[in-house]
Amino acid sequence: MDLKLNPDFLHKVCYRSTFRTSFLQLSAYRGLGLISCLLQLGIVWYFWWPQVHKPLYYLTIWGNLMLAIYLLLALICSKHSNPTLERANHLLYQATAPTLVLIMIFFWTALLPFFLLMLEQDPDHFWFHLVLNVGLHFITPLFGALEIYYNQVCVKPKDTLLVCGVLALVYMTVNYYATIAEGAPIYPPVDWETYLTPVSIAFALLLEYLGYYVVRKIWMYKVVAQMTVTSKKE
């Protein structure tokens, strides 16, 4: 079956349509994901208050903010058609989905030793740090995964390369200047002085590409599945 003959499937962007679930269930997932993101972000900003700028040093917070904004706009777009808003949210989705994969894997691999050390050094806040970081680095990506699987929003290679490239450049700039301002690395491996910096950045970019690859594969699986069903009906 030639996918090029079916652009309606391949390039579909519809926030009301779903894959193997109902619109009500997808809306519920989006609502719960939005609430989860906002709750966690609220806790983070409360913890850092009044230094409200410091959470923005962390890519994890960017990922949570991006998902929260996307889910809110997806809920709006599923009720009210607005081509400009839908296009903007589509670009945001293509940046958010791979970034959530990066955030989850990078934290639970490269940053895990530093996280465990922090728990050991701050036993009084053990459960606070544990629950919050599980929420930020597992629960949020989980809601992202539900959206990726059940939605009808395509992933385009050129779009994703553009938005993820811009996101990476902007965040690396923020990370560099934040490290200088704070006098300490935002993420321990990325100190902008040793060989660990280019290694960590290369690993992060690899995970971002892996995230795109996974999300794209899931989308193509959904395209083929829907085309097969349509073909059988015909």
Side-chain angles (χ1 to χ4, degrees):
M1 187 177 295
D2 189 354
L3 296 180
K4 293 182 180 179
L5 299 177
N6 296 273
D8 291 341
F9 286 107
L10 191 58
H11 304 301
K12 188 173 184 178
V13 178
C14 181
Y15 297 99
R16 188 173 180 81
S17 298
T18 65
F19 178 73
R20 293 182 178 173
T21 191
S22 67
F23 173 67
L24 182 61
Q25 285 180 312
L26 180 58
S27 296
Y29 293 147
R30 286 170 172 167
L32 289 173
L34 177 60
I35 293 171
S36 175
C37 287
L38 293 178
L39 178 61
Q40 293 172 74
L41 290 169
I43 293 172
V44 168
W45 258 285
Y46 178 80
F47 180 77
W48 281 101
W49 188 268
Q51 299 174 309
V52 294
H53 62 289
K54 287 193 174 182
L56 295 175
Y57 292 166
Y58 297 89
L59 185 61
T60 296
I61 302 305
W62 287 34
N64 275 260
L65 276 171
M66 290 161 62
L67 181 61
I69 295 170
Y70 165 78
L71 292 174
L72 175 61
L73 294 181
L75 287 168
I76 294 173
C77 291
S78 69
K79 297 290 186 179
H80 308 283
S81 178
N82 185 316
T84 302
L85 190 61
E86 290 174 10
R87 174 57 178 163
N89 206 34
H90 184 210
L91 290 173
L92 178 60
Y93 171 73
Q94 293 174 99
T96 303
T99 301
L100 291 176
V101 176
L102 158 62
I103 289 170
M104 183 176 68
I105 298 178
F106 193 82
F107 179 83
W108 295 110
T109 55
L111 298 179
L112 184 59
F114 302 99
F115 176 57
L116 295 176
L117 180 61
M118 180 186 72
L119 293 179
E120 183 180 335
Q121 293 176 342
D122 190 13
D124 293 339
H125 299 94
F126 177 91
W127 287 107
F128 172 79
H129 291 305
L130 181 63
V131 172
L132 180 60
N133 278 279
V134 168
L136 291 170
H137 302 101
F138 179 74
I139 301 300
T140 294
L142 177 61
F143 278 112
L146 290 173
E147 175 67 24
I148 291 166
Y149 185 76
Y150 288 119
N151 73 13
Q152 289 284 4
V153 181
C154 73
V155 178
K156 298 180 179 180
K158 289 183 179 179
D159 280 356
T160 306
L161 179 63
L162 173 63
V163 293
C164 286
V166 171
L167 177 65
L169 183 61
V170 172
Y171 179 72
M172 283 190 288
T173 302
V174 170
N175 186 285
Y176 174 74
Y177 284 106
T179 298
I180 293 176
E182 294 298 314
I186 304 305
Y187 292 109
V190 187
D191 56 14
W192 296 100
E193 293 180 354
T194 67
Y195 74 94
L196 288 176
T197 297
V199 170
S200 298
I201 291 175
F203 181 51
L205 292 175
L206 178 64
L207 292 178
E208 186 83 358
Y209 176 77
L210 174 64
Y212 157 73
Y213 178 81
V214 170
V215 175
R216 177 70 176 177
K217 279 293 184 181
I218 293 173
W219 173 248
M220 296 307 295
Y221 163 76
K222 293 191 290 185
V223 168
V224 172
Q226 292 173 98
M227 288 168 57
T228 301
V229 171
T230 302
S231 177
K232 287 181 179 179
K233 288 181 179 179
E234 293 175 350

